[in-house]
Amino acid sequence: MAADTNPPKPIALPDGRPVPRFTGDERSMLEDWLDYHRGTLALKCAGLDDAQVRLASADPSALTLLGLVQHLAEVERNWFQRVVAGLDVPPLFEDRGGFALDPARGLDEALGVWRREVARGRELCAGLTLEDTGRIAEGPVAGAEVSLRWVLIHLVEEYARHNGHADLLRERIDGVTGA
């Protein structure tokens, strides 16, 4: 069977999330799956107020939807700006992991920061191939070389894991399940 050189334009689910392509090149499929998971995070926060997104999952955990949004903004910044592009950028939030909540920062602000980080990551990766590499900036494997392919796969995994947390948090907040 011949390779699909012109994959169909992605379609959206009724809730607005993009459906990842069923066929196409590897890069498009990885980016589609990442966009699907990004859309899932946004969906989990939709319709909630600032007090609701600050509700912790269950004792003793302090995990919140607001903390997850902030964390994933930091994740986007770390992997695309620091690792892939090699930029020396400061953390976005007081807590480098992004989980700590500032009483003055609400969901709209955190989602805005997250969306800007997503856009910046797309911009930085636009001219790269899956084989292009960056270096892990810090941590137990600091200096390790990683490909853009590895980073995209890791981000799909990171979002999928945290969207499971978001699913449980949302159900605790108002009973909404699914997606």
Coordinates of all heavy atoms in Angstrom, one line a residue, residues 91-178:
P91 N 11.9 29.7 35.0 CA 10.6 29.0 35.2 C 9.5 30.1 35.1 O 9.7 31.3 35.3 CB 10.7 28.6 36.7 CG 12.2 28.7 37.1 CD 12.8 29.7 36.2
L92 N 8.3 29.5 34.8 CA 7.1 30.4 34.7 C 6.5 30.7 36.0 O 5.9 31.8 36.2 CB 6.1 29.6 33.8 CG 6.4 29.4 32.4 CD1 5.6 28.3 31.8 CD2 6.3 30.7 31.6
F93 N 6.6 29.8 37.0 CA 6.0 30.0 38.3 C 7.0 29.9 39.4 O 8.1 29.5 39.2 CB 4.9 28.9 38.4 CG 3.9 29.0 37.3 CD1 3.9 28.0 36.3 CD2 3.0 30.0 37.2 CE1 3.0 28.0 35.2 CE2 2.1 30.0 36.1 CZ 2.1 29.0 35.2
E94 N 6.6 30.2 40.6 CA 7.4 30.2 41.8 C 8.0 28.9 42.0 O 9.2 28.7 42.4 CB 6.6 30.7 43.0 CG 5.8 31.9 42.9 CD 4.5 31.8 42.0 OE1 3.8 30.7 42.1 OE2 4.3 32.7 41.2
D95 N 7.2 27.8 41.9 CA 7.6 26.5 42.0 C 7.9 25.9 40.7 O 7.1 25.9 39.8 CB 6.4 25.7 42.6 CG 6.4 24.2 42.5 OD1 7.5 23.6 42.4 OD2 5.3 23.6 42.4
R96 N 9.1 25.5 40.5 CA 9.6 25.1 39.2 C 8.8 23.9 38.6 O 8.6 23.8 37.3 CB 11.1 24.6 39.2 CG 11.7 24.5 37.9 CD 13.2 24.3 38.1 NE 13.9 24.2 36.8 CZ 14.4 25.2 36.1 NH1 14.2 26.5 36.6 NH2 15.0 25.1 35.0
G97 N 8.1 23.1 39.4 CA 7.2 22.1 38.9 C 5.9 22.6 38.5 O 5.2 22.0 37.7
G98 N 5.5 23.8 39.0 CA 4.3 24.5 38.6 C 3.1 24.1 39.4 O 2.0 24.7 39.2
F99 N 3.3 23.2 40.4 CA 2.1 22.8 41.1 C 1.6 23.7 42.2 O 0.5 23.7 42.6 CB 2.4 21.4 41.8 CG 2.5 20.3 40.8 CD1 3.7 19.7 40.4 CD2 1.3 19.8 40.1 CE1 3.8 18.7 39.5 CE2 1.4 18.8 39.2 CZ 2.6 18.2 38.9
A100 N 2.5 24.6 42.7 CA 2.1 25.5 43.8 C 1.2 26.6 43.3 O 1.3 27.1 42.2 CB 3.4 26.2 44.4
L101 N 0.2 26.9 44.1 CA -0.8 27.9 43.7 C -0.6 29.2 44.3 O -0.4 29.3 45.5 CB -2.2 27.3 44.1 CG -2.6 25.9 43.6 CD1 -4.0 25.6 44.0 CD2 -2.4 25.8 42.1
D102 N -0.7 30.2 43.5 CA -0.6 31.6 43.9 C -2.0 32.1 44.1 O -2.8 32.0 43.1 CB 0.2 32.4 42.9 CG 0.3 33.9 43.2 OD1 -0.6 34.4 44.0 OD2 1.1 34.6 42.6
P103 N -2.4 32.6 45.2 CA -3.8 33.1 45.4 C -4.2 34.1 44.4 O -5.4 34.2 44.1 CB -3.8 33.7 46.8 CG -2.6 33.1 47.5 CD -1.6 32.8 46.4
A104 N -3.3 34.9 43.8 CA -3.7 35.9 42.9 C -3.8 35.4 41.4 O -4.3 36.1 40.6 CB -2.6 37.0 42.9
R105 N -3.4 34.2 41.2 CA -3.5 33.6 39.8 C -4.7 32.7 39.7 O -4.8 31.7 40.4 CB -2.2 32.9 39.5 CG -2.1 32.4 38.0 CD -0.8 31.8 37.6 NE -0.1 31.1 38.6 CZ 0.9 31.6 39.3 NH1 1.4 32.8 39.1 NH2 1.6 30.8 40.2
G106 N -5.5 33.0 38.7 CA -6.7 32.2 38.4 C -6.5 31.3 37.2 O -5.4 31.3 36.6
L107 N -7.5 30.6 36.9 CA -7.5 29.6 35.8 C -7.2 30.3 34.4 O -6.4 29.9 33.6 CB -8.8 28.8 35.7 CG -8.9 27.8 34.6 CD1 -7.7 26.8 34.7 CD2 -10.2 27.1 34.6
D108 N -7.9 31.4 34.2 CA -7.7 32.1 32.9 C -6.3 32.5 32.7 O -5.7 32.4 31.6 CB -8.6 33.4 32.8 CG -10.1 33.0 32.6 OD1 -10.4 31.8 32.3 OD2 -11.0 33.9 32.9
E109 N -5.6 33.0 33.7 CA -4.2 33.4 33.6 C -3.4 32.2 33.3 O -2.5 32.2 32.4 CB -3.8 34.2 34.8 CG -2.3 34.6 34.7 CD -1.8 35.3 36.0 OE1 -2.6 35.7 36.8 OE2 -0.6 35.5 36.1
A110 N -3.6 31.2 34.1 CA -2.8 29.9 33.9 C -3.0 29.3 32.5 O -2.0 28.9 31.9 CB -3.1 28.9 35.0
L111 N -4.2 29.3 32.1 CA -4.5 28.7 30.7 C -3.8 29.6 29.7 O -3.3 29.1 28.7 CB -6.0 28.6 30.5 CG -6.7 27.5 31.1 CD1 -8.2 27.6 31.0 CD2 -6.2 26.1 30.6
G112 N -3.8 30.9 29.9 CA -3.1 31.8 28.9 C -1.6 31.6 28.9 O -1.0 31.5 27.8
V113 N -1.0 31.4 30.0 CA 0.4 31.1 30.1 C 0.7 29.7 29.3 O 1.6 29.6 28.5 CB 0.9 31.0 31.5 CG1 2.3 30.4 31.6 CG2 0.9 32.4 32.2
W114 N -0.1 28.7 29.7 CA 0.0 27.4 29.0 C -0.2 27.5 27.5 O 0.7 26.9 26.8 CB -1.1 26.5 29.7 CG -1.2 25.1 29.0 CD1 -0.3 24.1 29.0 CD2 -2.3 24.7 28.2 NE1 -0.8 23.0 28.3 CE2 -2.0 23.4 27.8 CE3 -3.5 25.2 27.9 CZ2 -2.9 22.6 27.1 CZ3 -4.4 24.5 27.1 CH2 -4.1 23.2 26.7
R115 N -1.2 28.2 27.0 CA -1.4 28.4 25.6 C -0.2 29.1 24.9 O 0.2 28.7 23.8 CB -2.7 29.1 25.3 CG -3.9 28.2 25.6 CD -5.2 28.9 25.2 NE -6.3 28.0 25.5 CZ -7.2 28.1 26.4 NH1 -7.2 29.2 27.2 NH2 -8.2 27.3 26.6
R116 N 0.4 30.1 25.6 CA 1.6 30.7 25.0 C 2.7 29.8 24.9 O 3.5 29.8 23.9 CB 1.9 32.0 25.8 CG 1.0 33.2 25.6 CD 1.5 34.4 26.2 NE 1.5 34.4 27.6 CZ 0.5 34.6 28.4 NH1 -0.7 34.9 27.9 NH2 0.6 34.6 29.8
E117 N 2.9 28.9 25.9 CA 4.0 28.0 25.9 C 3.8 26.9 24.8 O 4.7 26.5 24.1 CB 4.2 27.3 27.2 CG 4.7 28.2 28.3 CD 6.0 28.8 28.0 OE1 6.9 28.2 27.5 OE2 6.1 30.1 28.2
V118 N 2.6 26.5 24.6 CA 2.2 25.6 23.5 C 2.6 26.2 22.2 O 3.2 25.6 21.3 CB 0.8 25.1 23.5 CG1 0.3 24.4 22.3 CG2 0.5 24.3 24.8
A119 N 2.2 27.5 22.0 CA 2.4 28.2 20.7 C 3.9 28.4 20.5 O 4.4 28.2 19.4 CB 1.7 29.5 20.7
R120 N 4.7 28.7 21.5 CA 6.1 28.9 21.4 C 6.8 27.6 21.0 O 7.7 27.5 20.2 CB 6.7 29.5 22.7 CG 8.2 29.7 22.7 CD 8.5 30.9 21.7 NE 9.9 31.2 21.9 CZ 10.7 31.3 20.8 NH1 10.3 31.2 19.6 NH2 12.0 31.6 21.0
G121 N 6.4 26.5 21.6 CA 6.9 25.2 21.3 C 6.7 24.8 19.9 O 7.6 24.3 19.2
R122 N 5.5 25.1 19.4 CA 5.2 24.8 17.9 C 6.1 25.6 17.0 O 6.6 25.1 16.0 CB 3.7 25.1 17.6 CG 2.8 24.1 18.1 CD 1.4 24.4 17.6 NE 0.4 23.4 18.1 CZ -0.6 23.7 18.8 NH1 -0.9 24.9 19.2 NH2 -1.4 22.7 19.2
E123 N 6.3 26.9 17.4 CA 7.1 27.8 16.6 C 8.5 27.3 16.6 O 9.2 27.3 15.5 CB 7.0 29.2 17.3 CG 7.9 30.2 16.6 CD 7.8 31.5 17.5 OE1 6.7 32.0 17.8 OE2 8.9 32.0 17.8
L124 N 9.1 26.9 17.7 CA 10.5 26.4 17.8 C 10.7 25.1 17.0 O 11.8 24.9 16.5 CB 10.9 26.3 19.2 CG 11.0 27.6 20.0 CD1 11.2 27.3 21.5 CD2 12.2 28.4 19.5
C125 N 9.7 24.3 16.9 CA 9.8 23.0 16.3 C 9.4 23.0 14.8 O 9.7 22.0 14.1 CB 8.9 21.9 17.0 SG 9.5 21.6 18.7
A126 N 8.9 24.0 14.3 CA 8.3 24.1 13.0 C 9.3 23.7 11.9 O 9.0 23.0 11.0 CB 7.7 25.4 12.7
G127 N 10.6 24.1 12.0 CA 11.6 23.8 11.0 C 12.4 22.6 11.3 O 13.4 22.4 10.6
L128 N 12.1 21.9 12.3 CA 13.0 20.8 12.7 C 12.4 19.4 12.2 O 11.3 19.3 11.9 CB 13.0 20.7 14.3 CG 13.6 21.9 15.0 CD1 13.5 21.7 16.5 CD2 15.0 22.2 14.5
T129 N 13.3 18.5 12.1 CA 12.9 17.1 11.8 C 12.8 16.3 13.1 O 13.3 16.7 14.1 CB 13.9 16.4 10.8 OG1 15.1 16.2 11.6 CG2 14.2 17.3 9.6
L130 N 12.2 15.1 13.0 CA 12.1 14.3 14.1 C 13.5 13.8 14.6 O 13.7 13.4 15.8 CB 11.2 13.1 13.8 CG 9.7 13.3 13.6 CD1 9.0 12.1 13.2 CD2 9.1 14.0 14.9
E131 N 14.5 13.8 13.7 CA 15.8 13.4 14.1 C 16.6 14.5 14.7 O 17.7 14.2 15.3 CB 16.5 12.8 12.8 CG 16.0 11.5 12.3 CD 14.7 11.7 11.6 OE1 14.4 12.8 11.0 OE2 13.9 10.7 11.6
D132 N 16.2 15.7 14.6 CA 17.0 16.8 15.2 C 17.0 16.6 16.7 O 16.1 16.0 17.3 CB 16.3 18.2 14.9 CG 16.6 18.7 13.5 OD1 17.7 18.4 13.0 OD2 15.8 19.3 12.9
T133 N 18.1 17.0 17.4 CA 18.3 16.7 18.8 C 18.5 18.0 19.6 O 18.9 19.0 19.1 CB 19.5 15.8 19.0 OG1 20.7 16.4 18.5 CG2 19.3 14.5 18.3
G134 N 18.3 17.8 20.9 CA 18.6 18.8 21.9 C 19.2 18.1 23.1 O 19.4 16.9 23.0
R135 N 19.5 18.8 24.1 CA 20.1 18.2 25.3 C 19.3 18.5 26.5 O 18.8 19.6 26.7 CB 21.5 18.8 25.5 CG 22.5 18.4 24.4 CD 23.9 18.1 24.9 NE 24.7 17.6 23.8 CZ 24.9 16.4 23.5 NH1 24.4 15.4 24.3 NH2 25.7 16.0 22.5
I136 N 19.1 17.5 27.3 CA 18.4 17.6 28.6 C 19.2 18.6 29.5 O 20.4 18.4 29.6 CB 18.2 16.3 29.3 CG1 17.2 15.4 28.4 CG2 17.6 16.4 30.7 CD1 16.9 14.0 28.9
A137 N 18.6 19.6 30.0 CA 19.3 20.7 30.6 C 19.7 20.3 32.1 O 20.8 20.8 32.5 CB 18.4 21.9 30.6
E138 N 18.9 19.6 32.8 CA 19.2 19.3 34.2 C 18.5 18.0 34.6 O 17.8 17.4 33.9 CB 18.7 20.5 35.1 CG 17.2 20.8 34.9 CD 16.8 22.1 35.6 OE1 17.6 23.0 35.7 OE2 15.7 22.1 36.1
G139 N 18.8 17.7 35.9 CA 18.3 16.4 36.4 C 19.2 15.3 36.3 O 20.4 15.5 36.0
P140 N 18.7 14.1 36.6 CA 19.6 12.9 36.7 C 20.3 12.5 35.4 O 21.3 11.9 35.4 CB 18.7 11.8 37.2 CG 17.3 12.2 37.0 CD 17.3 13.7 36.9
V141 N 19.8 12.9 34.2 CA 20.4 12.6 32.9 C 20.8 13.9 32.2 O 20.8 14.0 31.0 CB 19.5 11.7 32.1 CG1 19.4 10.3 32.7 CG2 18.1 12.3 31.9
A142 N 21.1 14.9 32.9 CA 21.5 16.2 32.4 C 22.6 16.0 31.3 O 23.6 15.2 31.5 CB 22.0 17.2 33.4
G143 N 22.5 16.6 30.2 CA 23.4 16.5 29.1 C 23.1 15.4 28.1 O 23.7 15.4 27.0
A144 N 22.2 14.6 28.4 CA 21.8 13.5 27.5 C 21.2 14.1 26.2 O 20.4 15.1 26.3 CB 20.8 12.5 28.1
E145 N 21.5 13.6 25.1 CA 21.0 14.0 23.8 C 19.7 13.3 23.6 O 19.6 12.1 23.7 CB 22.0 13.7 22.7 CG 21.6 14.3 21.4 CD 22.6 14.0 20.3 OE1 23.0 12.9 20.1 OE2 23.1 15.0 19.7
V146 N 18.6 14.1 23.2 CA 17.3 13.5 22.8 C 16.8 14.0 21.5 O 17.1 15.2 21.2 CB 16.3 13.7 23.9 CG1 16.6 13.0 25.2 CG2 16.1 15.2 24.2
S147 N 16.1 13.2 20.8 CA 15.6 13.7 19.5 C 14.2 14.3 19.7 O 13.6 14.1 20.7 CB 15.4 12.5 18.5 OG 14.4 11.6 19.0
L148 N 13.8 15.1 18.7 CA 12.5 15.7 18.8 C 11.5 14.6 18.8 O 10.5 14.7 19.5 CB 12.3 16.6 17.6 CG 10.9 17.3 17.5 CD1 10.5 18.1 18.7 CD2 10.7 18.1 16.2
R149 N 11.7 13.5 18.1 CA 10.8 12.4 18.2 C 10.6 11.9 19.6 O 9.5 11.7 20.1 CB 11.3 11.2 17.4 CG 10.5 9.9 17.5 CD 11.1 8.8 16.7 NE 11.0 9.0 15.3 CZ 11.9 9.3 14.4 NH1 13.2 9.5 14.9 NH2 11.7 9.5 13.1
W150 N 11.7 11.8 20.4 CA 11.6 11.3 21.8 C 10.8 12.3 22.6 O 10.0 11.9 23.4 CB 13.0 11.1 22.3 CG 13.0 10.5 23.7 CD1 13.2 9.2 23.9 CD2 12.9 11.2 24.9 NE1 13.1 9.0 25.3 CE2 12.9 10.2 25.9 CE3 12.7 12.5 25.3 CZ2 12.8 10.4 27.3 CZ3 12.5 12.8 26.7 CH2 12.6 11.8 27.6
V151 N 11.1 13.6 22.4 CA 10.4 14.7 23.1 C 8.9 14.6 22.9 O 8.1 14.7 23.8 CB 11.0 16.1 22.8 CG1 10.1 17.2 23.4 CG2 12.4 16.2 23.3
L152 N 8.5 14.5 21.6 CA 7.0 14.4 21.3 C 6.4 13.2 21.9 O 5.3 13.3 22.5 CB 6.8 14.4 19.8 CG 7.2 15.7 19.1 CD1 7.1 15.6 17.5 CD2 6.2 16.9 19.5
I153 N 7.1 12.0 21.8 CA 6.5 10.8 22.5 C 6.4 11.0 24.0 O 5.4 10.7 24.6 CB 7.4 9.6 22.1 CG1 7.3 9.2 20.6 CG2 7.0 8.4 23.0 CD1 8.3 8.2 20.1
H154 N 7.4 11.6 24.6 CA 7.4 11.8 26.0 C 6.3 12.8 26.4 O 5.6 12.6 27.4 CB 8.7 12.4 26.5 CG 8.7 12.8 27.9 ND1 8.5 11.9 28.9 CD2 8.8 14.0 28.5 CE1 8.5 12.6 30.1 NE2 8.7 13.8 29.9
L155 N 6.0 13.8 25.6 CA 5.0 14.8 25.9 C 3.6 14.1 25.8 O 2.7 14.4 26.6 CB 5.1 16.0 25.0 CG 5.8 17.2 25.6 CD1 5.1 18.0 26.5 CD2 7.2 16.8 26.1
V156 N 3.4 13.2 24.8 CA 2.1 12.5 24.7 C 1.9 11.7 26.0 O 0.8 11.7 26.5 CB 2.1 11.6 23.4 CG1 0.9 10.7 23.5 CG2 2.0 12.5 22.2
E157 N 3.0 11.0 26.4 CA 2.9 10.2 27.6 C 2.6 11.1 28.9 O 1.8 10.8 29.7 CB 4.2 9.4 27.8 CG 4.4 8.7 29.1 CD 5.0 9.5 30.2 OE1 5.9 10.4 29.9 OE2 4.7 9.3 31.4
E158 N 3.3 12.2 28.9 CA 3.1 13.1 30.1 C 1.7 13.6 30.2 O 1.1 13.6 31.2 CB 4.1 14.3 29.9 CG 4.0 15.3 31.0 CD 5.0 15.1 32.2 OE1 5.8 14.1 32.1 OE2 4.9 15.8 33.2
Y159 N 1.2 14.1 29.0 CA -0.2 14.6 29.0 C -1.2 13.5 29.3 O -2.1 13.7 30.1 CB -0.5 15.2 27.7 CG -0.2 16.7 27.6 CD1 1.0 17.2 27.2 CD2 -1.2 17.7 28.0 CE1 1.3 18.5 27.1 CE2 -0.9 19.0 27.9 CZ 0.3 19.4 27.5 OH 0.6 20.8 27.4
A160 N -1.0 12.3 28.7 CA -1.9 11.2 29.0 C -2.0 10.9 30.4 O -3.1 10.7 31.0 CB -1.5 10.0 28.1
R161 N -0.8 10.8 31.1 CA -0.8 10.5 32.5 C -1.5 11.6 33.3 O -2.4 11.3 34.2 CB 0.7 10.4 33.0 CG 0.8 10.0 34.4 CD 2.3 9.6 34.8 NE 3.3 10.2 33.9 CZ 4.0 11.3 34.2 NH1 3.9 11.9 35.3 NH2 4.9 11.7 33.3
H162 N -1.2 12.8 33.0 CA -1.8 13.9 33.8 C -3.3 14.1 33.5 O -4.1 14.5 34.3 CB -1.0 15.2 33.7 CG 0.3 15.1 34.4 ND1 0.4 14.7 35.7 CD2 1.5 15.5 34.0 CE1 1.6 14.8 36.1 NE2 2.4 15.2 35.1
N163 N -3.7 13.7 32.3 CA -5.1 13.8 31.9 C -5.9 12.8 32.7 O -7.1 13.0 33.0 CB -5.4 13.7 30.4 CG -5.1 15.0 29.7 OD1 -5.2 16.0 30.3 ND2 -4.8 14.9 28.4
G164 N -5.3 11.6 33.1 CA -5.9 10.7 34.0 C -6.2 11.3 35.3 O -7.2 11.2 35.9
H165 N -5.2 12.1 35.8 CA -5.3 12.8 37.1 C -6.5 13.8 36.9 O -7.3 14.0 37.8 CB -4.0 13.5 37.5 CG -2.9 12.6 37.7 ND1 -1.6 12.9 37.2 CD2 -2.8 11.5 38.3 CE1 -0.8 12.0 37.5 NE2 -1.5 11.1 38.2
A166 N -6.4 14.6 35.8 CA -7.4 15.6 35.6 C -8.8 15.0 35.5 O -9.8 15.6 36.0 CB -7.1 16.3 34.3
D167 N -9.0 13.8 35.0 CA -10.3 13.1 34.9 C -10.8 12.9 36.3 O -12.0 13.1 36.6 CB -10.1 11.8 34.1 CG -11.3 11.3 33.5 OD1 -12.2 12.1 33.1 OD2 -11.4 10.1 33.3
L168 N -9.9 12.4 37.2 CA -10.4 12.1 38.6 C -10.7 13.4 39.3 O -11.6 13.5 40.1 CB -9.3 11.3 39.3 CG -9.0 9.9 38.8 CD1 -7.8 9.3 39.4 CD2 -10.3 9.1 39.0
L169 N -9.9 14.4 39.1 CA -10.1 15.7 39.7 C -11.4 16.3 39.3 O -12.2 16.8 40.1 CB -9.0 16.7 39.4 CG -7.7 16.5 40.2 CD1 -6.5 17.1 39.4 CD2 -7.8 17.0 41.6
R170 N -11.7 16.3 38.0 CA -13.0 16.8 37.5 C -14.2 16.1 38.0 O -15.2 16.6 38.4 CB -13.0 16.8 36.0 CG -14.2 17.4 35.3 CD -14.4 18.9 35.7 NE -15.6 19.4 35.3 CZ -15.8 20.3 34.3 NH1 -14.8 20.7 33.6 NH2 -17.0 20.8 34.0
E171 N -14.0 14.7 38.1 CA -15.1 14.0 38.7 C -15.4 14.3 40.1 O -16.5 14.4 40.5 CB -14.8 12.5 38.5 CG -16.0 11.6 39.0 CD -15.8 10.1 38.7 OE1 -14.6 9.7 38.3 OE2 -16.7 9.3 38.9
R172 N -14.4 14.6 40.9 CA -14.5 15.0 42.3 C -15.2 16.3 42.4 O -15.9 16.6 43.3 CB -13.2 15.0 43.0 CG -13.3 15.3 44.5 CD -12.0 15.1 45.2 NE -12.2 15.2 46.6 CZ -12.3 16.3 47.3 NH1 -12.3 17.4 46.7 NH2 -12.5 16.2 48.6
I173 N -14.8 17.2 41.5 CA -15.3 18.6 41.6 C -16.8 18.7 41.3 O -17.6 19.2 42.1 CB -14.6 19.5 40.6 CG1 -13.1 19.7 41.0 CG2 -15.3 20.9 40.4 CD1 -12.2 20.3 40.0
D174 N -17.2 18.1 40.2 CA -18.7 18.2 39.8 C -19.3 17.0 39.2 O -20.4 17.1 38.6 CB -18.9 19.4 38.9 CG -18.2 19.3 37.5 OD1 -17.5 18.2 37.3 OD2 -18.3 20.2 36.7
G175 N -18.6 15.9 39.3 CA -19.2 14.6 38.8 C -19.0 14.4 37.3 O -19.5 13.3 36.8
V176 N -18.5 15.3 36.5 CA -18.3 15.1 35.1 C -17.2 14.1 34.9 O -16.1 14.1 35.4 CB -17.9 16.5 34.4 CG1 -17.5 16.2 33.0 CG2 -19.1 17.4 34.5
T177 N -17.6 13.1 34.0 CA -16.7 12.0 33.7 C -16.5 11.9 32.2 O -17.2 12.5 31.4 CB -17.2 10.7 34.2 OG1 -18.4 10.4 33.6 CG2 -17.3 10.7 35.8
G178 N -15.5 11.1 31.8 CA -15.3 10.8 30.4 C -14.3 11.7 29.7 O -13.7 12.6 30.4

